[in-house]
């Protein structure tokens, strides 16, 4: 491809970017306490609003957004921007509805919250496994494919060699510093992504004569093979500049989006471990909500700096980006479904001067790495805290963290195998592929968390069997999607009616309400959840000062007065009794996962590792690098801070300012929806 070679300035920009990322990772090694589960997986819960908000944004805007959003913009216009505006509101739902409950309950993971809310492990393990499945199909595989696609278009590198090199650097950032390293690097990468994409957007609009020029030229952006044929394939949508469209629109039906797609998005923004884990790392509820607000405002940018530039790419390069003939498309991008996914890299290589291509290369690498580091950390958290610890109840800190890291390799392997499926799905629109998969599996998750938090009468049996019914229905349609491939343009649609006549957003709407109704009916027919299980596990009881059963049993083994478990003034157990405490727990063999948390958090280094010898220093250095070495004083400090968070105390002035910003972002988002949905 012309212009694929990098100039000296490009190489310098990429090297500076990698140096900055590595520096951020080293900073996290020295600053964070990674020797405990809380320190490694939740960054000690000492993050302020700025890195929390930047990490939420960077974790969301991966390379699949640059490739997928720009590609969908090139294919059908600004309609896909509705997903971004929807996120502005849903991330606030996480901050004001879900987070107060998750923080008050004192959990590390969301499946752990389900255990605390309903008791039993089957819901917890199922949700952890389903989340990992979604990570493989909608996150890791998509990120690897989109990142490799950009590198392939720009440099012509071998696809899988590029993936391997990126995975190595991503793994180093993730496995050494834990969530702290992820958040620090995400903060850097968020600024890099916004700055780089903004520069490209300005240059793109100048190229086509501004927004008005785009409106005039986009309807004319048609590939040559379409101009000289009788086919209507490849023609731009007449509603390209309208965001929410008619009830039966194939791209963005307004009713299906608002009522059907929203539940799937609630899963991602409010109940997905990857996103919530960043907010749980905040030092207080106010900082968590401030981070959500920052992320919400940043989510207004992709329409202008990613989607519209994708439309401009079609204007500038219609023969490649807008191709509709399968043979021509395969020659351009090795896909018969369409080449809209190359819109963004094509734009970068076509209009950016050589000195700036390296910056955009760094932007794409930043997007890829920020998303992958977030996914890897969250996936290892789920497998460690919710699955492996249930199987190996006596597993210690070192074993838990090693298993979590090794499991990531398995996920990556499966994701790479899945990449060929993505290439030929949904007419070549990568972002739509993500939404379709989410619509099949995510609505039941949204239903269960909403009921658990807002309805005290929800029961374990009702929730579990509702999830099972939702899984059967969702998997049935998802399998049909893969068996009956969407026809190419001009081909007859011979798929079953459930696929050809029911838009995936309307399917998500039906699935959400079927699962919700099932949970309600079964819950009403079964015995109610004991009242003590509701203590600090619902929105209505988040300030409850009572003692949750899990907290009472935990208190019995820490020496803390059970009546003060919810009180921030409680004292830590004496350090001198730590080893006796571990022995007592192991001798009693109580079947409680919390006992392992106690034993793990107070675990200290073996005496012989501390010997002043070459071997001892090497081992200690390795343990420090991997986060196996724990500082007991910092561990105790983190635990005391964690207990203080559950009180949900907020400064009145900060709370008033946060509410004001919440009202403002809600009004602004509604205005943007109305403005762009009233387009002609």
């Amino acid at each position: 491809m012309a212009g694929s070679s990098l100039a000296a300035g490009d190489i310098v920009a990429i090297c500076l970017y990698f140096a900055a990322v590595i520096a951020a990772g080293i900073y996290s090694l020295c600053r964070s306490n990674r020797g405990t589960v809380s320190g490694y997986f939740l960054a000690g819960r000492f993050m302020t609003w700025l890195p929390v908000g930047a990490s939420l944004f960077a974790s969301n805007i991966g390379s699949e957004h640059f490739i997928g959003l720009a590609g969908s913009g090139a294919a059908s216009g600004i309609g896909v921007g509705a997903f971004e505006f929807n996120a502005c509101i849903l991330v606030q739902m996480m901050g004001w509805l879900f987070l107060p409950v998750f923080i008050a309950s004192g959990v590390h993971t969301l499946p752990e919250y389900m255990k605390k809310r309903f008791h039993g492990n089957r819901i917890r393990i199922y949700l952890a496994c389903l989340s990992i499945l979604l990570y493989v199909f909608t996150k890791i595989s998509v990120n690897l494919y989109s990142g490799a696609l950009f590198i392939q278009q720009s440099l012509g590198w071998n696809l899988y060699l590029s993936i391997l090199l990126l995975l190595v650097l991503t793994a180093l950032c993730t496995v050494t510093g834990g969530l702290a390293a992820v958040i620090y690097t995400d903060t850097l990468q968020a600024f890099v992504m916004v700055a780089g994409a903004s520069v490209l957007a300005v240059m793109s609009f100048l190229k086509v004569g501004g927004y008005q020029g785009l409106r005039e030229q986009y309807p004319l952006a048609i590939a040559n093979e379409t101009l000289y044929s009788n086919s209507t394939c490849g023609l731009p949508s007449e509603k390209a500049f309208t965001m929410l469209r008619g009830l039966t629109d194939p791209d963005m039906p307004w009713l299906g989006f608002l009522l059907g797609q929203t539940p799937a998005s609630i899963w991602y923004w409010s109940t997905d471990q990857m996103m919530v884990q960043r907010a749980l790392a905040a030092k207080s509820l106010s900082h968590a909500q401030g981070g959500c607000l920052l992320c919400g405002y940043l989510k207004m940018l992709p329409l202008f700096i990613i989607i519209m530039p994708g439309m401009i790419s079609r204007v500038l390069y219609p023969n490649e980006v807008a191709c509709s003939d399968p043979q021509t498309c395969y020659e351009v991008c090795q896909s018969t479904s369409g080449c809209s996914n190359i819109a963004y890299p094509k734009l970068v290589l076509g209009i950016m001067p050589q000195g700036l291509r390296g910056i955009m290369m760094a932007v794409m690498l930043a997007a890829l790495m920020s998303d992958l580091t977030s996914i890897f950390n969250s996936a290892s958290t789920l497998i460690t805290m919710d699955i492996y610890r249930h199987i190996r109840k006596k597993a210690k800190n070192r074993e838990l963290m090693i298993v979590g890291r090794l499991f990531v390799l398995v996920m990556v392997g499966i994701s790479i195998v899945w990449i060929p499926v993505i290439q030929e799905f949904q007419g070549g629109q990568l972002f739509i592929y993500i939404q379709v998969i989410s619509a099949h599996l995510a609505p039941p998750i949204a239903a269960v968390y909403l009921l658990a938090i807002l309805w005290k009468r929800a029961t374990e049996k009702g929730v579990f069997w509702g999830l099972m019914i939702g899984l059967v229905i969702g998997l049935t349609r998802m399998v049909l999607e893969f068996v009956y491939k969407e026809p190419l343009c001009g081909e007859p649609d011979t798929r079953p009616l459930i696929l050809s006549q029911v838009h995936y957003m309307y399917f998500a709407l039906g699935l959400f309400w079927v699962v919700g109704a099932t949970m309600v009916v079964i819950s009403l027919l079964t015995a109610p959840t004991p009242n003590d299980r509701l203590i600090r596990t619902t929105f209505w009881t988040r300030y409850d000062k009572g003692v949750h059963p899990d907290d009472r049993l935990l208190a019995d083994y820490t020496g803390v007065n059970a009546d003060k478990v919810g009180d921030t003034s409680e004292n830590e157990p004496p350090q001198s009794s730590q080893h006796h405490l571990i022995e007592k727990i192991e001798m009693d063999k109580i079947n409680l996962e919390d006992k392992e948390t106690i034993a793990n958090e107070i675990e200290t280094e073996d005496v012989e590792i501390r010997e002043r010898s070459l071997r001892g220093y090497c081992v200690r250095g390795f343990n420090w690098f991997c986060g196996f070495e724990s500082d007991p004083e910092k561990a105790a400090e983190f635990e005391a801070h964690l207990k203080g968070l559950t009180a949900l105390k907020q400064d009145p002035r900060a709370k008033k300012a946060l509410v004001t910003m919440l009202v403002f972002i809600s009004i602004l988002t509604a205005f943007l929806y109305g403005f762009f949905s009233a387009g002609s």
Side-chain angles (χ1 to χ4, degrees), residues 624-643:
W624 172 83
F625 181 76
C626 292
F628 296 147
E629 190 173 60
S630 174
D631 185 337
E633 292 184 2
K634 287 187 177 181
E637 180 185 349
F638 284 175
E639 290 305 308
H641 175 64
L642 175 59
K643 293 186 176 75

Side-chain angles (χ1 to χ4, degrees), residues 432-485:
I432 300 303
Y433 159 82
I434 299 172
Q435 307 310 321
V436 171
I437 298 299
S438 298
H440 296 148
L441 300 177
I445 304 178
V448 65
Y449 278 103
L450 284 171
L451 282 176
I453 285 178
L454 294 176
W455 193 40
K456 297 180 181 180
R457 187 61 177 77
T459 65
E460 193 274 346
K461 291 182 179 179
V463 166
F464 177 76
W465 289 111
L467 286 172
M468 292 300 101
I469 291 175
L471 178 66
V472 172
I473 297 175
L475 282 180
T476 299
R477 166 145 175 163
M478 190 172 80
V479 170
L480 290 175
E481 290 274 11
F482 293 127
V483 172
Y484 297 95
K485 183 180 174 182

Side-chain angles (χ1 to χ4, degrees), residues 28 41-42 64 70 129 138 208 236-237 345 399 405 468 515 550 557:
S28 69
F41 291 117
L42 292 179
E64 86 279 3
C129 293
T138 68
V208 296
S237 171
E399 181 180 346
R405 291 157 174 172
M468 292 300 101
V515 171
D550 292 353
Y557 286 92

